[in-house]
Amino acid sequence: MDTTDTTPIIPKPVKQKRFAGFRKSLTDFFASLYNINSFIIRFFKEAFLPPYEFKEIIRQCYETGVRSFTLISLTGFIVGLIFTKQSRPSLAEFGATSWLPSLVSIAIMRALAPLVTALIAAGKVGSSIGAELGSMRVTEQIDAMEVSGTNPFKFLVCTRVLATTLTIPILATYTGLISILGGFLNVYVNEGTSYRTYIGQVFDPLSFIDFTAALIKSIVFGFTIGIVGCYQGYNSSSGTEGVGKAANGAVVTAMFLIFIEEITIVQITSWFR
Amino acid sequence: MEKQKAPIDHKNAVIRVHGLKKAFGDYEVLRGINLELYQGENLVVLGRSGTGKSVLIKVISGLLQADAGTVEVLGQNIDQLTTRELQALRIRIGFSFQNSALYDSMTVRKNLEFPLVRNRRGIGRKEIDTSVERVLEAVGLAQTINQMPSELSGGQRKRIGIARTLILNPEIMLYDEPTAGLDPITCIEINELINEVQERYKTSSIIITHDLTCAKQTGDRIAMLLDGKFQREGSFEHVFDTDNARIKPFFDYNFIK
Ligand SMILES: Nc1ncnc2c1ncn2[C@@H]1O[C@H](COP(=O)(O)OP(=O)(O)OP(=O)(O)O)[C@@H](O)[C@H]1O
Ligand SMILES: [Mg+2]
């Protein structure tokens, strides 16, 4: 068996009394870092080797899109609408309400669209990946797949991670457009700006870097959601409560990582401006 | 109900296990298992809950890795195989899981197709359909073809699980507690199915159970797993006939004739 061993390391209990709790959580922490790391390495080793599971990847992309579409449409629209509405008074103080479209587009493209999409997908898609794989693990469906000659890591994990990595950028673009539409509705009602003028003003302040950064961000977020959900589910402990833990862990960990990644990428792009 | 004598080739072992050890943490589950499964034979492994019966067949099928000892299946040492070779070997082994392990997002038809579609690339629709119908008929559940696993009873799920392994015409069958949690009549039906599979598909099987009716009805040979080793081995009557205070209650409790 020449695949990377991703059997989770379960640290042995430490037998000291003092600092025992602290030590245990420290070893747990590093053990899980190691485990996640080898899980990611295994993904890159297996995902790009034939046979490719195109059909299953497409199916998973569809699932990812369908699961989060309604919520993303609603949230995206409302974010755009509310953001425009709430920003107006501050700009009005300087008599600069004509800057609203630019402000909206910068806020949405640089920050809100990828972040909102990723957080919603973490809740909707990440948790269901965690629960799905978790229950497959618990009921031995993953083992059954393995003994019937299908590599479950490739078939279940690689396809889902690739699907979220591909789909989240598309969804984020969609969120951006729908928020800009929400912003337009508010601007139109208040200032009577025409659609053409609005679109011109929206895309004017955006640079190549903005688009690239948004794209990179959503790819990273998508990968994170997929890999965390799969990791939690694939390694879920036995018992029904293991499934719940996997689903919950998938959401919490993914959201936490998404914030850290957001900050890091924002910092890096600011060096390029 | 007595088992017919099966044609067993005692010179030809399809599984050889030697000195197998497996521990989880500090707990040694298997402590030196030696086992030979002969061509055409039904070997029943008896043992109480938690003695490591499931662990044993998971090691044999390469789902778990042994700490020590060798496992040879169909002439190949499973520790020394590449992933690809292991996959090729596994297709020749059928594994019926303790809780059936049907894919619950797929219908019965899709469940049965899965191993076929995955392992025989380019197989035609017609051939798939005939194979599915053939194994469904073999387990007597043709009417369930479009149902979801959640709509099946425990006994039906067991049969579909067995059908799913039969579809690849395995040479070896591993049954993990085929009768656990079923009523006595369904148990007997499953036992008959196991014997039918042995006859029809010419399989060699390991049947794991703690159900004596099942052992008696399906086993050509019985091995008693206790404290991580096979303590007694042989015909049902031979294993039964003991004064060992830890084995005897096992048989008294079930008092079968
Ligand atoms: N993946 C695992 N991690 C840790 N311990 C395990 C694992 N699998 C099995 N064990 C332990 O090994 C022992 C034997 O388990 P196993 O499932 O083989 O029992 P069994 O003989 O099949 O029992 P049953 O009749 O209840 O199915 C149990 O004590 C169990 O706790
Ligand atoms: Mg068991």
Side-chain angles (χ1 to χ4, degrees):
Chain A
M1 282 174 273
D2 60 3
T3 44
T4 324
D5 187 13
T6 51
T7 341
I9 295 179
I10 300 154
K12 284 199 175 155
V14 184
K15 277 182 191 129
Q16 255 115 358
K17 272 181 201 151
R18 223 187 301 169
F19 305 125
F22 175 68
R23 269 206 197 192
K24 189 177 170 329
S25 50
L26 205 66
T27 38
D28 275 355
F29 175 73
F30 283 110
S32 64
L33 267 192
Y34 173 86
N35 292 337
I36 291 191
N37 199 34
S38 44
F39 195 80
I40 294 175
I41 290 172
R42 186 170 175 193
F43 168 79
F44 282 109
K45 262 191 189 166
E46 297 201 9
F48 303 106
L49 284 179
Y52 304 108
E53 310 280 0
F54 288 122
K55 226 171 127 190
E56 185 64 13
I57 293 174
I58 306 269
R59 203 176 73 82
Q60 291 302 329
C61 286
Y62 175 77
E63 290 280 319
T64 309
V66 164
R67 274 175 191 155
S68 36
F69 185 76
T70 327
L71 198 55
I72 281 182
S73 307
L74 199 71
T75 320
F77 189 77
I78 290 175
V79 162
L81 190 84
I82 302 290
F83 183 81
T84 318
K85 189 173 160 61
Q86 301 285 36
S87 311
R88 176 171 292 101
S90 321
L91 286 185
E93 257 179 56
F94 307 100
T97 43
S98 58
W99 286 2
L100 258 178
S102 318
L103 180 68
V104 170
S105 73
I106 286 177
I108 285 169
M109 286 309 288
R110 284 195 186 165
L112 292 174
L115 196 61
V116 165
T117 314
L119 292 179
I120 288 175
K124 291 287 279 187
V125 181
S127 66
S128 62
I129 290 178
E132 198 181 0
L133 294 196
S135 78
M136 288 188 82
R137 166 63 73 200
V138 168
T139 57
E140 295 181 312
Q141 290 175 54
I142 293 181
D143 288 340
M145 212 169 258
E146 187 154 3
V147 294
S148 69
T150 294
N151 177 349
F153 193 91
K154 220 170 152 61
F155 186 76
L156 299 171
V157 174
C158 295
T159 53
R160 281 169 174 75
V161 177
L162 286 174
T164 51
T165 313
L166 291 172
T167 317
I168 301 297
I170 298 172
L171 285 174
T173 312
Y174 170 73
T175 314
L177 294 178
I178 219 109
S179 321
I180 285 173
L181 191 71
F184 170 69
L185 186 73
N186 189 271
V187 173
Y188 178 74
V189 168
N190 286 281
E191 279 93 18
T193 318
S194 81
Y195 189 68
R196 263 171 194 238
T197 331
Y198 179 75
I199 291 294
Q201 286 172 336
V202 157
F203 285 103
D204 198 38
L206 295 176
S207 64
F208 179 69
I209 291 183
D210 290 322
F211 288 113
T212 324
L215 183 68
I216 292 174
K217 249 195 240 175
S218 31
I219 289 174
V220 171
F221 292 162
F223 179 77
T224 307
I225 292 166
I227 206 94
V228 170
C230 287
Y231 174 79
Q232 295 282 353
Y234 203 74
N235 295 315
S236 109
S237 56
S238 50
T240 359
E241 117 231 56
V243 179
K245 264 194 209 155
N248 188 40
V251 180
V252 176
T253 317
M255 286 191 175
F256 179 70
L257 289 176
I258 285 168
F259 285 122
I260 291 179
E261 288 159 0
E262 165 81 26
I263 292 170
T264 315
I265 295 174
V266 165
Q267 190 56 49
I268 292 172
T269 44
S270 73
W271 293 333
F272 284 97
R273 280 188 208 284
Chain B
M1 207 167 85
E2 203 62 32
K3 187 172 188 320
Q4 298 275 313
K5 270 257 169 293
I8 297 165
D9 181 359
H10 282 278
K11 288 192 205 84
N12 189 0
V14 288
I15 297 181
R16 284 175 204 277
V17 175
H18 186 76
L20 172 65
K21 289 186 181 164
K22 176 77 191 172
F24 292 104
D26 293 335
Y27 177 47
E28 290 178 24
V29 182
L30 303 177
R31 304 173 198 170
I33 298 267
N34 297 316
L35 173 156
E36 253 147 34
L37 177 70
Y38 297 106
Q39 173 75 52
E41 173 188 43
N42 274 359
L43 170 67
V44 167
V45 175
L46 273 177
R48 293 182 56 182
S49 260
T51 44
K53 304 186 296 298
S54 298
V55 171
L56 172 64
I57 55 170
K58 281 186 181 164
V59 171
I60 288 174
S61 60
L63 282 174
L64 289 173
Q65 226 156 350
D67 298 336
T70 54
V71 178
E72 212 183 280
V73 180
L74 295 165
Q76 305 181 55
N77 188 330
I78 62 156
D79 282 337
Q80 291 162 3
L81 300 179
T82 63
T83 318
R84 213 160 270 241
E85 289 167 336
L86 186 64
Q87 262 188 27
L89 179 62
R90 276 169 169 164
I91 297 172
R92 302 165 68 190
I93 310 173
F95 197 128
S96 156
F97 283 84
Q98 192 161 349
N99 43 28
S100 309
L102 300 182
Y103 307 127
D104 46 30
S105 60
M106 305 180 194
T107 61
V108 168
R109 180 198 290 277
K110 290 271 175 224
N111 261 283
L112 297 178
E113 277 177 18
F114 190 83
L116 211 54
V117 176
R118 304 283 311 167
N119 290 302
R120 309 258 158 83
R121 303 258 159 189
I123 185 175
R125 185 72 242 170
K126 207 159 168 211
E127 200 181 333
I128 296 176
D129 285 342
T130 15
S131 304
V132 168
E133 279 156 28
R134 184 175 49 83
V135 289
L136 262 185
E137 183 259 323
V139 300
L141 283 178
Q143 75 282 7
T144 60
I145 188 158
N146 290 320
Q147 277 172 292
M148 295 302 281
S150 56
E151 300 165 350
L152 302 176
S153 73
Q156 288 176 322
R157 293 170 65 96
K158 277 267 154 64
R159 281 162 186 268
I160 298 295
I162 293 172
R164 189 176 61 185
T165 63
L166 289 179
I167 204 156
L168 290 174
N169 293 317
E171 293 157 56
I172 298 176
M173 284 292 293
L174 306 172
Y175 296 95
D176 197 351
E177 312 222 357
T179 59
L182 303 177
D183 71 83
I185 296 171
T186 313
C187 280
I188 290 172
E189 285 171 7
I190 295 275
N191 297 342
E192 280 164 359
L193 175 61
I194 292 173
N195 287 337
E196 241 174 78
V197 167
Q198 181 190 22
E199 233 171 80
R200 217 159 137 176
Y201 290 82
K202 307 276 177 277
T203 52
S204 328
S205 318
I206 296 182
I207 299 146
I208 283 183
T209 190
H210 43 56
D211 168 12
L212 290 193
T213 323
C214 173
K216 188 163 184 172
Q217 208 181 335
T218 60
D220 298 307
R221 186 158 59 103
I222 315 278
M224 181 84 199
L225 185 62
L226 187 69
D227 298 331
K229 283 189 179 157
F230 285 140
Q231 303 287 352
R232 279 185 84 75
E233 198 189 311
S235 70
F236 188 82
E237 285 70 26
H238 170 73
V239 176
F240 190 7
D241 185 21
T242 173
D243 291 328
N244 186 326
R246 310 223 2 237
I247 300 181
K248 211 163 168 42
F250 203 92
F251 293 89
D252 290 342
Y253 173 71
N254 282 263
F255 47 73
I256 47 164
K257 290 163 200 113

